Every structure is written in C-alpha cells, then in structure tokens.
Amino acid sequence: MDKIQQRELGKWLKGQSKLAKKWLTLSIGLGFLSSLFLIAQAALLADILHQLIVEQVDKYELISHFVAILVFVAIRALCSWGREIAGYRCGEHIRVHIRQLILNKLQELGPAYIKGKPAGTWATLLLEQVEDMQDFFSRYLPQMSLSVLIPFVILIVVFPQNWTAGLIFLLTAPLVPLFMALVGMGAADANRRNFKALQRLSGHFYDRLQSMTTIRLFNKTAQETGHLHGASEIFRKRTMEVLRLAFLSSAVLEFFTSISIAIVAVYFGFTFIGELDFGHYGTTVTLFTGLFILILAPEFYQPLRDLGTFYHAKAQAIGAAESLVEFLDTKTEQQAQGDKKVSESSTLDIQVEELIVTTHDGKNLLGPISFHLEEGSQTALIGPSGAGKTSLINAILGFLPYQGSIKVNGLELSELDKTEWYKEINWVGQNPTLVHGTIQENITLGKQDITQEQLDTACEHAFANEFIADLGYQHAISDRSGGLSVGQAQRLALARALLQQGRLWILDEPTASLDAKSERLVMKSLNQATQGLTTLMITHRLDQLHAMDSILVLDKGKIVQSGSFDEIKDSGLFANMLAAKQPVQGDLDA
C-alpha cells in the first residue's frame, strides 16, 4: 500500500468521525479538563514539598493542600471515566453507521454478487474489520487533539518558570511523533496483509465446515487439513508481524521520552548544585520550580506516548479500511431503481426483448434473447449446465443488471419499485433456506399480519400440516434446516411461498432432492397453487414437461428452441436430451 492510498484511507476514516462529532468533542474536552487539574495537582504537590523541606512548615498547616490534591485526583478519575464512555460511544456510533453502509451495499449488489465470495469473507468484512476500527475512533482520534493541546498548555505554564526546561520540551517533543511515524510506516501494510489472510482463512474454514460430510465421503480429510494448516500458518505469521511492529513502536517511544525526561532532570540537578546558572529570569531556581517542572515532565510526553500506543490502532484501521472502502466503492452496472407498481390484474404478462444479462462489472452472461411469458402460462426453462438459466432468473428477480427490455404488464422492470416487485414473486428453490428459529418463524419470516387461519391454510395446502401436527409450530429448527428432513424443509418453503400470494411463481427444481412421497406431495401442491398464475420453472425432470404450455431451451446463452413439448420433441437439443434420457442440470447455484 503506497503513501497516497494510506493518506486517502486516513481521510476516509476521519470523514466518518463527523458522524459522532458530539461524542468525539466530549472525549477531547474531558481529556483536556483532566490535564488542567493535573497541572494544578502538580503545583500543589510541588508547593507542599517546598514548604515542608525548604520553609520547614508544619505538615498540619498543609491539610487543606492534601484535601485539594484528593479532590483533584477524584475529579481526574471522573474525567477519565467520562472520557472512556464518550470514546466508546463515538466508536460505537460510527461502527453502526459503517456496518449499515456495508449492508446497504450488499443489498444493492444482491445475492448474485454476494455468492461470488465465501460467507466467511463477508463475515470478516462485516464483523472483525469494522470492529477493529473501534480504537481508532474511540482512542486515536481524541488522542491526536490531546497530544497537541496538553503539551501546549504545559509549555505555557513551564516557560514562565524556566525557559531552559521549556526549550528542552519544545525541541525534544517532535522526536516522538517523528520516530513513531518512521516505525509505523510499515504497520498499515502489515495489518492489511493480516486482514487478507484472515479473510482467506475465514472463507476457507467456513466452506470446509459446511462441506464436512462430502470431504469425509471422498476421503479428503487429510488433504483439507493440510490446506487449513497452511492458511492458519500464514495468518499466524501475519499476526506476529503486526505484534512485532507494535512492540517496536512502543519501545522506540519509551526510549526517546525517557531520554528527554532525563535531560530535564540532569539540568535541574546540576542547577541545584551550582554547576549551571541559566534558564531562570534573574532569580535562583527554587525547589518548587524544579519539582513542579519535573512532575510535569512525564505528563508533557504522556499524550505523545499515548498517541504512539494508539498508533497501531490507526495502522489497524487503515489496514481494515482498504478492502472495506474498495467494496463500498465497487462500480456496478446496477439496474435502475424505479418507483412504479405493477398494474392490478389477476396475473402477470412478461415480455422479454433483445435481453442481454451482464455481471456487475459489465461482463456478458447471456443474450440477446427474446421470449414471452403470457398471463397465466406455465413455462419450463431447461438447458445444459452453464447455458445461462441462472443468469436469466437473476435478471428477472432484479439481482443482475441487463440491457434490452423486460416488461411486466407493459412496465419496464427497471422502472418498478423492487420492494413491490419482490412481493409479486413466489419463490421455491431446490435447497430451501431455513434459519435458526421456530417452524412458525421460518414460514412467516417475521410478518406480523399473518393470521393463524392463513398460516394453517398455507401449511395444509403445502401438505406440511401432517408433520407440524406432531412437532408444533414452536418446534425449534437449527441453521441449515437442522432437525427436519429435506422433504419437510421443502414443504415449509412451499408454505412460505404460498403466504406470499404473488402473481409470478419461479421454481428452481423444487423436487430435485426429494423422495417419491415428498415429490408427489410438493408437485400436487404446486399444480394447485400455480393454476391461472404465470409460472417459470427450471427443471431437469423431462417427464414433467408434458403439462407445460411452453418450453424454453437455453444453450450457451441463447434460446435455441421454444414451443410446446409436442412442437420441439423431435428436433434439436431437446430431442437429443429426450433420446439420451439425460437429466438437464439446472439450478440457481450453477
């Protein structure tokens, strides 16, 4: 990562801090207030020692001084507590905002883009990388201001007391941020490499965890163990590289601050024994002056030391922000978002003309193709793997950008409000997604306007009531349909689609993984539900095509045949499929 990129990422991070300006200002203000009480505390302590040692004042006469010190200590403790709270709230507010930006971008890009990377990669981006920005906003940014304000105030106090000590502070102070910057130049790169390694490890581990059964069946356990060990070893090296730089940075800061404080101490030591006679303003250097400045000396460098301690938070945040900003700045050929609703009618008419479907970066996936899904028609979409069925369905769903025309009841798809368009679609795939929750929650998906009667009716029509009667609506389901058979999960997905009550059914091999009984029940339910509604079904079951009004045969991104079963059964690719009795692979994951 070059310096220009680091600078741009730093500007982006600081720009996000404006969202929590109130909390950031409060954190800085409390830190500055604490420093003022620290100066007063140092003055009191130096005065106490001067009166006890030089003026021989009785200690009981200084009780008010001791009480004042305790009060100052208590106030500083409260300021520190308040500063921590304000800093945390600042980081929390910004992290919530950044996560919302990521979620909005993911929603904009859609499932077709999301499935291009492992789930572990997105989890790392959304969780770990955003979380690692917390210290940057809660500690580093406030400390940047305090590292200027506090030394400046101390200099204002010290120079009237002794110009030599003030000059030592002024000349040595820049050394700390200078060497901090030199050491930290490679920290951002180290953190960036660390996050990349974590993304790869997370994605690899999550995918292999999901595929554990398949890995065991094919006896690839040892091979995958080796891959995981290699990925984890790279992550270990990257992590140790980051820690090495962090410790080196701290050591450099401690060294230079210790040298600077020692110079001040040596100066006052030689002054008190009469070897040096400069720095004062025509008077002798008193014990009060020496003690006061020596007590303030560590505190003068402390904000700079803290800034150095938190500098790794900046490097960490910049490393995390690189891929995050890159993702947020992803240029996509997005389908335009309209605000129109599909006209009211009993069903939908979809006219596709010269359609070219592209990826988000503009790469052609299929087309140009043209076809017509008439109102209430039943259409099958078949073709070999890679023919473009997935891309076509994703374009109709609004997940991929396109060129040409997709008109729904005369309105261009890009002119429709996507939220309203999704309400018109009843979707049943071959691998239903059920989340952790109850059966009822998985069917209703959080919809509050579903009555018990509607729920019972949907489950009855989907033939899911036969096992729900035994399990109950509150039966818990774990992730990935755990606790249910494939057939039961598919019938729950069908009940969910029935509750949608849309006018377009899109079916992606809904019976691909079912046993004979479940397949019969699902097809019976679908035949009843889709009567009179526009339906588009991807299938490899050639025996299900007789009942279809029309069949679209895709091959290499083109429609090579279309028509009814009887019209196309004796020629072309469809005839070859029938002759070979070869299943046509097709699913939205292809």
Side-chain angles (χ1 to χ4, degrees):
M1 186 190 303
D2 56 32
K3 293 181 180 179
I4 296 177
Q5 187 179 10
Q6 287 191 31
R7 195 178 302 114
E8 291 299 321
L9 291 174
K11 289 181 180 178
W12 183 85
L13 288 168
K14 291 177 182 178
Q16 305 306 308
S17 66
K18 296 177 182 178
L19 300 168
K21 189 175 181 179
K22 177 183 68 175
W23 292 111
L24 185 60
T25 303
L26 180 59
S27 177
I28 296 171
L30 288 172
F32 182 69
L33 182 62
S34 177
S35 69
L36 296 180
F37 281 103
L38 172 65
I39 294 172
Q41 180 182 324
L44 275 174
L45 185 58
D47 186 52
I48 289 173
L49 293 174
H50 178 80
Q51 292 191 53
L52 289 175
I53 298 172
V54 177
E55 299 181 5
Q56 301 294 314
V57 175
D58 186 77
K59 58 181 178 293
Y60 293 105
E61 296 181 15
L62 301 175
I63 292 178
S64 60
H65 287 61
F66 288 110
V67 173
I69 287 179
L70 293 177
V71 171
F72 289 160
V73 169
I75 293 175
R76 290 185 60 217
L78 288 174
C79 289
S80 297
W81 175 77
R83 181 186 168 193
E84 287 294 322
I85 296 296
Y88 176 80
R89 294 301 180 193
C90 173
E92 180 186 41
H93 189 81
I94 297 171
R95 283 186 291 116
V96 169
H97 172 73
I98 293 176
R99 284 199 172 102
Q100 190 60 55
L101 290 178
I102 297 173
L103 292 174
N104 291 343
K105 190 68 176 183
L106 288 173
Q107 184 177 11
E108 176 188 339
L109 294 172
Y113 183 90
I114 295 172
K115 294 184 73 172
K117 292 184 179 181
T121 299
W122 298 121
T124 300
L125 183 71
L126 192 61
L127 299 176
E128 283 90 348
Q129 290 188 225
V130 177
E131 200 66 30
D132 281 332
M133 296 180 181
Q134 170 68 24
D135 282 349
F136 175 81
F137 296 111
S138 65
R139 298 181 183 275
Y140 180 78
L141 282 185
Q143 195 61 40
M144 280 188 66
S145 299
L146 293 175
S147 64
V148 175
L149 292 174
I150 295 177
F152 180 72
V153 171
I154 292 178
L155 283 176
I156 292 177
V157 173
V158 169
F159 262 107
Q161 299 290 329
N162 189 284
W163 62 264
T164 300
L167 194 60
I168 293 173
F169 287 163
L170 189 61
L171 293 177
T172 56
L175 294 176
V176 176
L178 174 63
F179 284 94
M180 178 178 67
L182 291 176
V183 173
M185 285 178 62
D189 277 336
N191 277 281
R192 177 182 58 82
R193 291 191 294 269
N194 189 45
F195 281 120
K196 293 290 186 183
L198 179 59
Q199 284 185 351
R200 288 193 294 269
L201 178 61
S202 297
H204 192 90
F205 179 75
Y206 184 78
D207 287 347
R208 297 311 180 270
L209 194 63
Q210 288 184 316
S211 309
M212 187 62 70
T213 302
T214 305
I215 291 172
R216 289 177 176 174
L217 285 174
F218 286 90
N219 196 28
K220 295 293 184 179
T221 306
Q223 180 178 342
E224 293 302 327
T225 301
H227 291 329
L228 278 176
H229 181 270
S232 61
E233 182 66 16
I234 292 174
F235 179 60
R236 183 191 68 81
K237 291 180 179 179
R238 298 287 184 265
T239 303
M240 295 307 296
E241 183 181 359
V242 172
L243 291 175
R244 184 169 63 251
L245 286 171
F247 285 125
L248 176 61
S249 176
S250 298
V252 169
L253 292 178
E254 291 297 328
F255 174 76
F256 282 101
T257 54
S258 298
I259 291 295
S260 301
I261 294 171
I263 293 174
V264 176
V266 169
Y267 162 74
F268 279 110
F270 277 96
T271 299
F272 286 142
I273 65 175
E275 294 296 328
L276 297 177
D277 188 22
F278 59 87
H280 51 81
Y281 299 96
T283 60
T284 58
V285 177
T286 63
L287 181 61
F288 169 82
T289 302
L291 289 176
F292 178 54
I293 294 177
L294 283 174
I295 293 172
L296 288 180
E299 304 302 333
F300 176 82
Y301 296 103
Q302 189 61 45
L304 296 172
R305 296 164 70 182
D306 289 340
L307 183 64
T309 302
F310 301 144
Y311 189 80
H312 77 280
K314 177 188 177 182
Q316 192 175 42
I318 289 177
E322 183 193 24
S323 56
L324 195 153
V325 173
E326 181 182 352
F327 167 69
L328 293 177
D329 290 342
T330 301
K331 302 297 182 183
T332 60
E333 294 289 335
Q334 278 298 310
Q335 181 176 311
Q337 168 74 320
D339 56 2
K340 297 181 180 179
K341 294 180 62 174
V342 182
S343 59
E344 296 293 338
S345 64
S346 58
T347 184
L348 299 180
D349 179 273
I350 300 177
Q351 180 72 47
V352 176
E353 296 180 355
E354 297 300 316
L355 176 68
I356 298 176
V357 182
T358 66
T359 61
H360 289 89
D361 56 3
K363 180 182 177 182
N364 284 6
L365 294 175
L366 84 156
I369 59 173
S370 300
F371 61 89
H372 186 200
L373 302 181
E374 299 180 2
E375 291 188 26
S377 64
Q378 308 281 311
T379 304
L381 182 63
I382 66 172
S385 180
K389 302 182 297 298
T390 299
S391 302
L392 175 57
I393 295 299
N394 277 328
I396 294 176
L397 290 172
F399 296 157
L400 283 176
Y402 68 86
Q403 302 169 19
S405 176
I406 303 177
K407 289 187 177 180
V408 182
N409 286 359
L411 290 176
E412 189 63 37
L413 181 62
S414 59
E415 298 176 355
L416 299 179
D417 185 315
K418 283 189 178 180
T419 302
E420 295 297 326
W421 171 235
Y422 294 151
K423 292 179 181 179
E424 300 289 350
I425 300 172
N426 305 321
W427 163 266
V428 181
Q430 61 172 298
N431 296 309
T433 300
L434 299 183
V435 298
H436 185 83
T438 64
I439 287 178
Q440 181 171 341
E441 290 170 341
N442 273 277
I443 297 176
T444 62
L445 292 180
K447 295 178 181 177
Q448 302 298 321
D449 56 346
I450 303 297
T451 65
Q452 188 63 45
E453 182 180 357
Q454 290 174 317
L455 182 61
D456 292 337
T457 301
C459 292
E460 182 180 351
H461 288 169
F463 299 100
N465 58 329
E466 64 178 40
F467 64 87
I468 292 179
D470 297 328
L471 299 177
Y473 282 116
Q474 301 308 311
H475 177 74
I477 303 174
S478 60
D479 291 330
R480 299 177 63 83
S481 309
L484 297 178
S485 68
V486 176
Q488 290 173 333
Q490 188 68 303
R491 278 181 271 176
L492 289 185
L494 182 54
R496 184 164 61 194
L498 289 170
L499 282 177
Q500 180 76 359
Q501 297 182 343
R503 291 178 282 173
L504 172 64
W505 281 85
I506 296 182
L507 310 174
D508 171 30
E509 300 203 48
T511 62
S513 304
L514 304 183
D515 56 65
K517 178 185 176 182
S518 295
E519 179 181 356
R520 177 177 56 82
L521 293 176
V522 169
M523 287 307 302
K524 181 179 179 181
S525 176
L526 285 173
N527 289 334
Q528 294 174 354
T530 58
Q531 287 299 316
L533 296 177
T534 308
T535 304
L536 180 61
M537 180 172 72
I538 298 176
T539 182
H540 69 279
R541 294 291 303 271
L542 302 184
D543 57 337
Q544 296 176 352
L545 301 180
H546 294 277
M548 292 292 169
D549 297 320
S550 63
I551 301 171
L552 301 177
V553 183
L554 273 177
D555 186 30
K556 298 178 180 178
K558 305 285 185 180
I559 295 180
V560 295
Q561 286 180 280
S562 65
S564 66
F565 183 88
D566 292 332
E567 290 173 345
I568 65 173
K569 67 179 181 179
D570 297 324
S571 61
L573 179 61
F574 187 64
N576 295 336
M577 292 178 181
L578 289 175
K581 294 183 180 180
Q582 179 179 350
V584 182
Q585 302 298 326
D587 61 85
L588 292 186
D589 296 322

